[in-house]
Amino acid sequence: MNLQLAGKRILVTGSTAGIGLAIATELAQENAEVVVNGRTAARVAAAIEQIKAAAPEAVVWGVAADLSHAEGVAHLLVACPKVDGLVNNHVRYHECMAVVKRFGLQHYTFVDDTARLFPTDCPALFLTHRHEGLNA
């Protein structure tokens, strides 16, 4: 598969295990620069190691930040000030929309519609991206 992600920086929240890690790994295999996110530095480092094992040539780095708190979101935005795409696998809808706005991302596709039904209680899993050349 060629998703035309070479040179694109994609942030995957909640990417230290499960579906987030699988998505981050697939993006790395598609030659995207992947930014891993998780709550602890140890989990972020372990996820990066796993991704690099599956995609040795990939550019992968991470930001340990708990995105369920404003302080964690602020830390993420300082550590990773620009992205071309975001796969939201952790942050609740309203918090994530603040991140989307800060990054200047415009287009998004919901993967989990429960985010719109229960915006304060459920995470919203979706891909959002800049318009130029990144297909969702």
Side-chain angles (χ1 to χ4, degrees):
M1 182 174 8
N2 182 354
L3 298 176
Q4 302 174 347
L5 297 177
K8 303 291 184 182
R9 179 182 291 170
I10 311 295
L11 167 64
V12 184
T13 64
S15 52
T16 59
I19 192 169
L21 179 59
I23 291 168
T25 302
E26 183 66 30
L27 291 170
Q29 291 171 333
E30 287 289 330
N31 299 312
E33 175 184 342
V34 177
V35 182
V36 173
N37 164 253
R39 292 181 181 164
T40 69
R43 289 187 60 137
V44 168
I48 291 170
E49 187 175 311
Q50 283 184 263
I51 295 166
K52 293 290 279 180
E57 303 298 318
V59 176
V60 183
W61 56 285
V63 179
D66 183 347
L67 303 182
S68 64
H69 301 287
E71 299 81 14
V73 172
H75 174 70
L76 173 73
L77 293 174
V78 169
C80 181
K82 178 191 176 297
V83 299
D84 297 300
L86 165 70
V87 177
N88 180 42
N89 184 48
H90 170 69
V91 185
R92 294 178 186 170
Y93 177 78
H94 292 292
E95 290 90 339
C96 187
M97 293 314 289
V99 172
V100 167
K101 184 176 180 180
R102 166 61 175 79
F103 283 135
L105 302 171
Q106 301 152 350
H107 304 278
Y108 59 89
T109 303
F110 278 92
V111 177
D112 180 358
D113 278 337
T114 61
R116 287 182 276 180
L117 298 175
F118 308 102
T120 60
D121 296 330
C122 295
L125 176 59
F126 63 88
L127 170 67
T128 183
H129 58 90
R130 295 182 192 287
H131 182 66
E132 71 275 357
L134 181 63
N135 299 315

